[in-house]
Amino acid sequence: MSTHVVSPWRAPLIAVEHHWTWYRRNWRATVISNFLQPVLFLLAMGVGFGSQVREGEATGGHPYLVYLAPALLVITAVQNAVFESTWAVFSAFKWQRTYLAAVATPITPAQVLHGQLLWIALRLVTGTAVFLLIAVALGAISSPMAVLAVPFAALAGMAFSAPAVAFTATREKPDSFNAIFRFLVMPMTLFTGGFFPLSQLPAWIHPLAWLTPVWHGIELARGATFGTLRLLPALGHVAYLSALVALGVLLGRRYFRRRLAV
C-alpha cells in the first residue's frame, strides 16, 4: 500500500465519482426497482386497495393514499438500501474486486467505506426525492413540509445500510442476503405501521417494531407530512437512527480494515 495519504474529505468524493461514472452509463438498469416499482406499488395499494379503506381514525382522517405515501417513501428508501448494502458491496469485495484496487492506491479501507456509504446516501436522497415528486403529482402529498420526509427517509435507509455494509464485509458467500430480505426487510415493511397503525397489532410486536429504523423513519415522515411532528419525539427518532448509522460505521471500519489492509 502506498505511504501517501489522501485527504479524508477527498477520498470519499473520489469513490463517489467512481460510482457515478458507472451509474450514468447503466442507470436504466435501476429504473424499475428504484423508481417504477415503488410508484406502481403506491398506485396499487393507495388507489386500488385504498379505494376500499374508509377515512377514519386508522388513517388519521386522511385518504388511504395520503396516509400511505410518506410511509412508502421510507419503506422504498430502506428496500433500495438493501441491494446497495449487500449484493453491490459483496461484488466489490469478491467479484469485481474494486475495493482491492482502491486500497492499492493511497486510499485507506476506512475511506473506501466512507465513499461507499456516501454514495448509498446520495442514491437514497435522489431516489426518495423523485418518489416524492411523483407522489405530489398523484395528489398523494400536498404539504410543503413533506420535503423533510426526504432526509428522514434517507436517514432511515442509512440506519439499515451502514450496519448491513459492515455485515457484508464479513461474508465470504452471498447466501445470507436473501434471508436478510425475507426475515428482516419484509417484516419491517409489513409490521411497523406503514400500511396500518401499529396499534392494531398485538402488543408484543410493538417493542420489536420500535427497534427497527423503518418505524422511526415512518413516524418522522408522517409527522413532517401531516404537521404532527413534535420536537422531542423527533429528536429521539433522529438520535436513534443516527446511533445505528454510527454503529454501522464503527463496525464497518473494523471489518473493512481487517479484509482490505495489506
Side-chain angles (χ1 to χ4, degrees):
M1 182 180 295
S2 173
T3 57
H4 297 289
V5 177
V6 179
S7 164
W9 296 105
R10 185 184 174 203
L13 296 179
I14 294 174
V16 168
E17 182 182 12
H18 157 74
H19 289 296
W20 169 245
T21 301
W22 179 91
Y23 184 76
R24 69 184 180 183
R25 298 174 181 172
N26 300 277
W27 62 270
R28 295 173 184 83
T30 67
V31 168
I32 292 178
S33 61
N34 288 354
F35 303 111
L36 184 58
Q37 184 174 313
V39 172
L40 292 177
F41 196 78
L42 176 64
L43 291 173
M45 294 298 296
V47 178
F49 173 76
S51 64
Q52 306 302 310
V53 179
R54 296 180 180 178
E55 300 177 23
E57 183 178 355
T59 63
H62 302 284
Y64 189 71
L65 178 65
V66 175
Y67 174 79
L68 176 64
L72 197 56
L73 192 73
V74 176
I75 291 169
T76 298
V78 173
Q79 290 185 345
N80 286 343
V82 175
F83 175 81
E84 297 292 337
S85 308
T86 52
W87 292 100
V89 173
F90 184 83
S91 176
F93 273 120
K94 293 287 288 187
W95 298 328
Q96 296 179 326
R97 297 182 178 271
T98 52
Y99 290 163
L100 291 174
V103 297
T105 72
I107 296 176
T108 67
Q111 290 171 337
V112 171
L113 169 69
H114 298 162
Q116 182 68 53
L117 292 177
L118 178 58
W119 171 249
I120 294 173
L122 291 173
R123 287 289 306 276
L124 296 183
V125 169
T126 55
T128 52
V130 170
F131 183 88
L132 177 65
L133 291 175
I134 295 174
V136 170
L138 293 174
I141 293 177
S142 58
S143 171
M145 293 302 294
V147 69
L148 293 176
V150 170
F152 289 151
L155 179 59
M158 291 306 299
F160 181 88
S161 176
V165 169
F167 172 77
T168 301
T170 68
R171 300 294 92 189
E172 292 296 334
K173 296 181 180 181
D175 302 346
S176 57
F177 297 155
N178 288 333
I180 289 176
F181 190 84
R182 186 175 298 126
F183 298 113
L184 285 180
V185 178
M186 287 306 297
M188 284 195 300
T189 297
L190 297 174
F191 304 120
T192 52
F195 298 98
F196 46 84
L198 188 62
S199 59
Q200 295 185 354
L201 294 174
W204 62 269
I205 292 182
H206 296 183
L208 298 177
W210 298 336
L211 292 175
T212 67
V214 175
W215 179 78
H216 292 274
I218 289 173
E219 290 294 300
L220 287 168
R222 278 206 178 117
T225 302
F226 299 152
T228 58
L229 197 63
R230 296 181 180 179
L231 180 60
L232 288 180
L235 290 176
H237 293 310
V238 170
Y240 180 78
L241 294 174
S242 299
L244 289 179
V245 175
L247 176 63
V249 171
L250 290 175
L251 292 175
R253 287 171 65 94
R254 174 186 300 179
Y255 297 139
F256 269 60
R257 183 172 61 250
R258 180 182 300 173
R259 189 153 185 173
L260 296 176
V262 294

